[in-house]
Amino acid sequence: MKHVASSSLLSLSLSLTALLGGCLEPMADRPSLARRDVELRDRQAEAKAPPPPIESVTDPALARDLTALLARADKAEADFAMARSAAQQAVAAAKNASVGSEAWSVAQTRISALDAPRRELTQLLGDLEVLYVARLEKEAAGEIKAGGAAQVEQTRSHVLALVDSQDSVITMLKSGLAS
């Protein structure tokens, strides 16, 4: 029994030495866990900011595409605002309601109705990503004049801020219900 205990103790001490040795490696070789600039951006302010001016786009086809995409974003945001109002009222009515009650179910349904306009914006983000990559490829190949990709990126950032804002609203409404 004494031999087994000393063997286990030796094994444990070797394991601890190996683990502690890993802690002593230089930190420069590891990625930083500090917040990146993109994580520090104020998406709420970006969502409230007006979209980039389309008039500055020199390519008429790109200007037309961006105008259509921004119109879709505006409609999705307006639809979300209408559904948000109904969801806020339903959540307020279900404030002290128990899970599964009629008021709670109505509030859940109203919150779920927010997904449709939010989904439209996320699909729009995908369309903007495709447009951005295609634009970059054409600019790199010299097929078109440079500069349009930056306008697409500004539009994408605006729509992403709208999505983030909508996510915050949905999270807030869900937290207002009993679970």
Side-chain angles (χ1 to χ4, degrees):
M1 180 74 178
K2 190 175 189 179
H3 177 66
V4 173
S6 65
S7 174
S8 296
L9 186 58
L10 178 64
S11 175
L12 178 63
S13 66
L14 288 174
S15 297
L16 285 174
T17 304
L19 287 173
L20 289 174
C23 294
L24 298 175
E25 290 181 23
M27 292 300 287
D29 297 341
R30 296 190 181 144
S32 170
L33 295 178
R35 294 187 74 177
R36 298 171 296 178
D37 289 340
V38 72
E39 295 171 315
L40 298 173
R41 291 172 49 187
D42 184 3
R43 298 269 190 221
Q44 299 294 331
E46 289 178 18
K48 293 174 185 166
I54 300 300
E55 301 82 38
S56 63
V57 179
T58 57
D59 181 355
L62 179 60
R64 183 186 64 246
D65 290 345
L66 290 178
T67 300
L69 291 169
L70 284 172
R72 281 176 52 197
D74 288 344
K75 181 176 180 341
E77 184 65 13
D79 292 347
F80 186 87
M82 286 179 50
R84 178 183 59 219
S85 177
Q88 287 170 330
Q89 290 174 0
V91 167
K95 187 100 177 140
N96 295 318
S98 62
V99 175
S101 68
E102 179 70 22
W104 183 87
S105 296
V106 168
Q108 286 287 353
T109 302
R110 298 280 191 241
I111 291 171
S112 294
L114 295 170
D115 287 337
R118 186 193 168 285
R119 187 172 35 257
E120 175 63 25
L121 279 181
T122 57
Q123 289 172 348
L124 183 58
L125 271 177
D127 294 347
L128 284 163
E129 294 284 340
V130 169
L131 181 61
Y132 180 70
V133 170
R135 191 78 190 183
L136 280 178
E137 288 173 352
K138 288 180 181 180
E139 287 178 9
E143 297 174 22
I144 56 175
K145 184 178 163 186
Q151 190 72 29
V152 176
E153 173 56 25
Q154 287 178 337
T155 304
R156 191 194 73 76
S157 293
H158 175 72
V159 173
L160 180 60
L162 292 175
V163 170
D164 287 346
S165 176
Q166 289 182 358
D167 285 345
S168 295
V169 168
I170 291 170
T171 300
M172 180 199 62
L173 289 171
K174 285 181 178 179
S175 70
L177 284 180
S179 48

